[in-house]
Amino acid sequence: MRKKSIAMLVLVIFAISIALTGCSGGSKSQPQKEEKPKVAQLFLLTGSTGGTYYPLGGAMANTWNKHLAGKVQVTSQPSGASVENLKRIGKGEAQLGMAMNNIADQAWKGEGDAFKDTGAIKNFRTIGVIYPEVYQGIAAADSKIESIADLKGKKVAIGPTGSGTAVISKDIFAEYGLKLEDFKPEYAGFGDAAGKFKDGHIDANFGVLSVPAAAIQDVMTVRKIKIIEIKGDMFEKLKAKYPFFSQYVIPAGTYGNEKDAYTINMQAALYCKADLPEDLVYDLTKVFYEQSAEIAAAHAAGKYIKLEKALDGITTPLHPGAVKYYKEKGIKIPDNIMPK
């Protein structure tokens, strides 16, 4: 009888234990709320509102946000373009930026007047080429300006302060024997410069833009223009000194020009902070090149975004995330731009 009572007591205690365990959730954990993955907030630095970078950057941001929804939120911002963008990425003020490849090369090496205040900038990396940057200069069709050499004493827009256009203009003009004090430089954004040209306040307007350039088309609504060409011996001279330059042909009819016009081009490329996660940059690179048709539908320059051109003219190190994507696609990567 005593053994039976003890057995009953054990069963009662066991039953109570199970009941308490169920109430307290000891064996069954309470359902946990799943934390939503963090969305990477990225700022993309572009250029002035009248240039190519600004609207194209907006199209790029929209494409990333659509295809990487829940992972990435990219916000495009206007800026002074190439020089400013690389400096601000270097300071950690933005994660992405558009810049000319020759300006990126100067930044990496700490060369040129534009980077005297910073020295070499090493904490940025390359993602890839966006489109060919075409150096375009115009004058009024009825002016006597036929060459850059004819700009002595004239008022000339050479791009906004901090832009690749301003840096390149100074270098190119020097090859024609012109220093800044030999003409009147106007450091205006491309939209502002177009307005001043239309009003007759400047004699010539230069910009590094895609073809056709909206700022030049805007001028043509009011004034007839001529293209200031760079070709022949002068091109060869510039090419020998600046290997980044290539000859570019502006097709007849682009700006009302009866014949093909010759100038030079570099490459617009996409750069990022060196410490961005590899998987994040992989995703950005993949969407950028595989969804380029969507970018092109929003801005004409998007038609030049091609995987086979992604490394043309690039001299600065790639981001590991971009390398991962290019290797996946079988793109041969030169040793000199592998991550450092």
Side-chain angles (χ1 to χ4, degrees), residues 200-240:
H201 296 314
I202 55 177
D203 300 298
N205 184 9
F206 286 83
V208 178
L209 305 161
S210 63
V211 175
I216 296 178
Q217 291 175 320
D218 181 34
V219 168
M220 292 174 63
T221 62
V222 175
R223 302 184 71 182
K224 290 184 178 181
I225 64 166
K226 66 174 71 169
I227 299 169
I228 302 173
E229 295 186 272
I230 301 173
K231 60 182 180 179
D233 292 343
M234 185 52 68
F235 167 71
E236 296 300 334
K237 183 180 178 182
L238 284 165
K239 175 72 173 177

Side-chain angles (χ1 to χ4, degrees), residues 275-317:
D275 62 357
L276 288 184
E278 182 177 319
D279 288 349
L280 173 60
V281 176
Y282 170 87
D283 288 340
L284 291 170
T285 309
K286 181 180 175 68
V287 169
F288 184 64
Y289 286 107
E290 295 185 5
Q291 305 300 330
S292 60
E294 288 190 19
I295 301 173
H299 194 283
K303 67 183 180 183
Y304 295 106
I305 302 171
K306 298 182 182 298
L307 181 59
E308 61 269 25
K309 299 288 185 181
L311 303 182
D312 286 4
I314 296 299
T315 61
T316 49

Side-chain angles (χ1 to χ4, degrees), residues 65-138:
N65 293 340
K66 174 183 175 181
H67 292 277
L68 297 174
K71 289 184 177 181
V72 168
Q73 178 64 42
V74 181
T75 303
S76 63
Q77 295 183 339
S79 73
S82 298
V83 175
E84 179 184 326
N85 293 352
L86 292 166
K87 286 183 176 181
R88 289 180 62 185
I89 289 175
K91 292 177 182 177
E93 295 176 1
Q95 294 76 35
L96 300 166
M98 303 163 74
M100 291 156 56
N101 60 333
N102 60 307
I103 300 300
D105 189 81
Q106 287 186 10
W108 184 262
K109 296 174 181 175
E111 296 177 350
D113 292 342
F115 299 100
K116 281 183 177 178
D117 59 333
T118 62
I121 300 174
K122 298 291 188 180
N123 55 338
F124 74 90
R125 294 293 182 271
T126 310
I127 291 179
V129 167
I130 307 172
Y131 70 93
E133 289 267 44
V134 185
Y135 188 71
Q136 301 173 71
I138 60 170

Side-chain angles (χ1 to χ4, degrees), residues 311 318-320 322-328 330-339:
L311 303 182
L318 295 170
H319 190 282
V323 169
K324 179 181 177 182
Y325 177 70
Y326 294 139
K327 284 186 174 180
E328 184 179 280
I331 301 296
K332 186 176 180 180
I333 304 171
D335 291 339
N336 67 307
I337 61 172
M338 286 296 287

Side-chain angles (χ1 to χ4, degrees), residues 11 14 16 23 29 43 60 63 76 84 99 102 105 120 128 162 169 184-185 195 228 244 255 267 300 308 337:
L11 287 172
F14 182 68
I16 293 172
C23 291
S29 58
F43 289 103
M60 290 161 54
T63 300
S76 63
E84 179 184 326
N102 60 307
D105 189 81
S169 293
K184 300 170 185 176
I228 302 173
F244 304 103
Y255 300 122
Q267 300 286 2
E308 61 269 25
I337 61 172

